[in-house]
Amino acid sequence: MRKLIKNGTVVTAADIYEADVLIEDGKIAAIGTDLKSEGVEVIDATGRYLFPGGIDPHTHLDMPFGGTVTRDDFETGTVAAAFGGTTTIIDFCLTNKGEPLGNAIQTWHEKSKDKAVIDYSFHLMIGEMNDDVLRELPQVIHEEGITSFKVFMAYKNVFQADDGTLYRTLLAAKELGALVMVHAENGDVIDYLTRQALKEGNTDPIYHALTRPPEIEGEATGRACQLTGLANSQLYVVHVSCADAVEKIAEARNKGLDVWGETCPQYLVLDRSYLERPNFEGAKYVWSPPLREKWHQDVLWNALKNGQLQTIGSDQCSFDFKEQKELGRGDFTKIPNGGPTIEDRMSILFSEGVKQGRITLNQFVDITSTRIAKLFGLFPQKGTIAVGTDADIVIFDANVERVISRETHHMAVDYNAFEGMKVIGEPVSVLCRGEFVVRNRQFVGKAGYGSYLKRKKYGEDMKHQQDSIPVQ
Ligand code: URP
Ligand code: ZN
Ligand code: ZN
């Protein structure tokens, strides 16, 4: 059935205007004023914004980590994402050294099959580089449409790759048309510092942060940028948490390098003091990189405003406090890293960013959706509201006030990292390819509705990379 969303305010990365939006066969068929409503289902959006569906470029659903598995899988995680206004996620497919990449991709297809309620795609972890891996990469790109590779510079003896692997991945990505993503922390130095801390009897959650200082992230970010320049390749730095890393990204971009940076809601609104909460509650706030001293937040907000950072990912990686985070009682290195953020990514950016005057409405759309679609080969199918694009639309009430809480969230996890935080703004209804997933704040979607998205090569649409919104 055709749908007509009437009287909303359409917001794209470039424009804000009042219009009706006609949806036909899952696509936007027309945008205009006073579009005819005969024979179509009419949805009144008076007083509401219409945003392009959010794209979350950084999730870990159903992911094994630290001897346990994340609580949210492709069903609960995507339901929560939809409530937060996200209609596409890109999840990290983890690989095992010595095993074909294809096996790992198959595993991720099995995890997500018949589960996702919104569209999804995968990034692929590269843990080692050798002839076998190199031989498989063209197939990964052409058959699976996976055009972004993730290299971990930390988590020694688990995910960490060496610099040779990073460099060779950058070279291969350049040749094949992929974007290299890095978790930028110096894993070797962290390994030394954590051993020292434990030897000295320092086992509380706060030592997670104290053994991963900002210099560790700044150094690895700078190294990755230098190697990108040497390889004449392209780089996307995930979960940037601190001034030290922002500085390195800005320096690289000022030199003309093809380097991009993502931050996450937790780094924008939470700080290192949360790790000192009593009764082991600090474990709820263990992320890598760790939460930083509060002053770093201003640097991150400014970087989003002036374009030195371009995107926000959730880094959704949820573990229950009970039995999962608790694995690290008496040894902070055993606390599974990560937190539940997929649902609140857009609300936090809207409330703390747009409502507080830190970023504009157009920037909000660019940071949560458009820029991500462009970088990861989904634009213009995803990431904007225009005739011919997928009808991924968020009908957003920009005035409602609410309190984030575990009591009302839709994630499977037993706490909310932003518990008690007051935010302004909420998605009222969310459509993915023209079908309601959330309607009037109720879930009406279906497990398995989400489609796997094969993505275009990096740089295939370079003209889209240039038409960025003006820097504020
Ligand atoms: O603490 C985090 N960020 N957990 C998820 C895995 C990763 O490093 O992105
Ligand atoms: Zn990471
Ligand atoms: Zn992550």
Side-chain angles (χ1 to χ4, degrees):
M1 168 123 183
R2 294 189 299 160
K3 294 186 178 74
L4 182 63
I5 307 178
K6 278 199 84 70
N7 302 320
T9 301
V10 174
V11 186
T12 69
D15 298 303
I16 303 175
Y17 57 95
E18 281 179 24
D20 302 339
V21 177
L22 179 69
I23 299 170
E24 210 172 306
D25 298 329
K27 302 264 183 204
I28 295 178
I31 302 176
T33 44
D34 297 324
L35 295 184
K36 298 231 170 355
S37 56
E38 286 92 56
V40 300
E41 180 188 357
V42 175
I43 298 125
D44 180 29
T46 306
R48 306 242 151 104
Y49 287 133
L50 304 183
F51 296 139
I55 303 175
D56 190 338
H58 189 155
T59 68
H60 304 278
L61 299 176
D62 199 356
M63 185 186 86
F65 188 95
T68 185
V69 179
T70 56
R71 279 289 280 128
D72 284 288
D73 64 10
F74 277 83
E75 184 166 351
T76 63
T78 56
V79 168
F83 272 101
T86 295
T87 53
T88 300
I89 60 159
I90 315 180
D91 199 78
F92 286 94
C93 169
L94 298 185
T95 55
N96 296 312
K97 286 184 186 164
E99 282 182 26
L101 303 175
N103 290 6
I105 296 169
Q106 198 45 41
T107 302
W108 247 253
H109 279 303
E110 280 157 21
K111 283 174 188 286
S112 48
K113 189 171 177 298
D114 298 334
K115 289 210 151 185
V117 306
I118 55 173
D119 289 348
Y120 62 99
S121 188
F122 304 145
H123 311 288
L124 185 71
M125 171 191 160
I126 303 289
E128 62 184 344
M129 186 51 85
N130 54 43
D131 290 347
D132 291 338
V133 172
L134 270 180
R135 246 192 310 275
E136 265 199 272
L137 286 181
Q139 197 176 336
V140 166
I141 290 183
H142 296 117
E143 283 173 28
E144 293 291 339
I146 297 179
T147 53
S148 42
F149 305 143
K150 166 82 172 285
V151 176
F152 287 93
M153 301 171 79
Y155 302 124
K156 195 171 167 67
N157 300 326
V158 187
F159 301 139
Q160 188 174 328
D162 58 24
D163 286 348
T165 295
L166 172 56
Y167 186 62
R168 292 183 69 188
T169 305
L170 284 161
L171 290 173
K174 176 71 187 173
E175 192 188 318
L176 297 168
L179 181 57
V180 177
M181 310 170 80
V182 279
H183 173 132
E185 287 186 294
N186 186 321
D188 291 344
V189 178
I190 291 167
D191 182 59
Y192 172 75
L193 292 175
T194 51
R195 283 170 197 271
Q196 284 297 110
L198 292 179
K199 215 191 273 176
E200 288 160 19
N202 297 323
T203 60
D204 289 345
I206 184 62
Y207 287 96
H208 174 78
L210 297 178
T211 54
R212 308 175 91 103
E215 290 85 348
I216 294 275
E217 187 182 341
E219 185 279 325
T221 305
R223 185 163 23 111
C225 290
Q226 291 278 21
L227 295 177
T228 301
L230 188 64
N232 188 24
S233 188
Q234 46 266 352
L235 182 75
Y236 177 98
V237 185
V238 301
H239 53 40
V240 172
S241 74
C242 64
D244 306 56
V246 169
E247 208 175 278
K248 294 295 177 188
I249 292 167
E251 197 179 291
R253 289 175 62 80
N254 289 340
K255 279 197 240 163
L257 299 190
D258 199 359
V259 171
W260 307 87
E262 162 201 282
T263 191
C264 310
Q266 56 272 28
Y267 302 119
L268 292 168
V269 298
L270 307 179
D271 65 72
R272 200 176 77 182
S273 66
Y274 283 71
L275 281 105
E276 294 177 296
R277 293 200 165 176
N279 303 322
F280 198 62
E281 296 255 330
K284 292 177 177 173
Y285 306 96
V286 165
W287 274 278
S288 293
L291 298 178
R292 303 300 187 185
E293 287 177 90
K294 202 166 174 51
W295 65 267
H296 289 272
Q297 291 172 7
D298 286 341
V299 178
L300 297 175
W301 280 114
N302 280 332
L304 285 175
K305 187 184 175 82
N306 66 27
Q308 288 163 349
L309 295 177
Q310 300 78 28
T311 68
I312 186 163
S314 67
D315 195 6
Q316 164 78 15
C317 189
S318 61
F319 298 102
D320 277 340
F321 178 65
K322 291 243 163 301
E323 292 179 14
Q324 293 192 297
K325 290 283 185 181
E326 281 183 334
L327 291 169
R329 274 192 195 274
D331 179 351
F332 69 90
T333 66
K334 298 201 166 63
I335 301 169
N337 292 194
T341 45
I342 201 165
E343 189 160 348
D344 302 309
R345 178 184 75 112
M346 292 180 62
S347 282
I348 287 175
L349 196 74
F350 183 83
S351 188
E352 290 295 312
V354 178
K355 284 285 179 182
Q356 296 292 333
R358 291 170 166 133
I359 56 170
T360 66
L361 255 187
N362 301 112
Q363 285 183 310
F364 169 79
V365 168
D366 202 45
I367 292 166
T368 56
S369 181
T370 315
R371 176 60 46 191
I372 299 162
K374 290 175 177 178
L375 286 171
F376 293 102
L378 290 170
F379 193 84
Q381 179 191 354
K382 306 282 187 191
T384 194
I385 294 180
V387 173
T389 67
D390 281 1
D392 295 349
I393 296 174
V394 181
I395 304 176
F396 195 86
D397 179 342
N399 298 311
V400 67
E401 290 187 24
R402 64 196 177 90
V403 176
I404 295 177
S405 174
R406 174 216 164 164
E407 302 301 325
T408 47
H409 78 199
H410 301 87
M411 295 174 282
V413 67
D414 69 0
Y415 74 98
N416 191 302
F418 308 108
E419 186 70 38
M421 189 177 158
K422 290 197 182 90
V423 286
I424 303 177
E426 183 180 36
V428 177
S429 298
V430 177
L431 298 99
C432 178
R433 280 178 286 109
E435 297 297 330
F436 281 102
V437 182
V438 173
R439 185 163 200 170
N440 295 325
R441 301 183 174 88
Q442 300 297 317
F443 179 68
V444 293
K446 198 165 129 273
Y449 173 75
S451 272
Y452 175 74
L453 299 167
K454 294 186 181 184
R455 294 180 285 118
K456 287 182 285 190
K457 288 185 183 183
Y458 180 79
E460 209 159 79
D461 272 333
M462 272 328 263
K463 78 178 167 54
H464 295 308
Q465 301 294 349
Q466 283 146 19
D467 60 4
S468 186
I469 53 168
V471 163
Q472 297 299 303

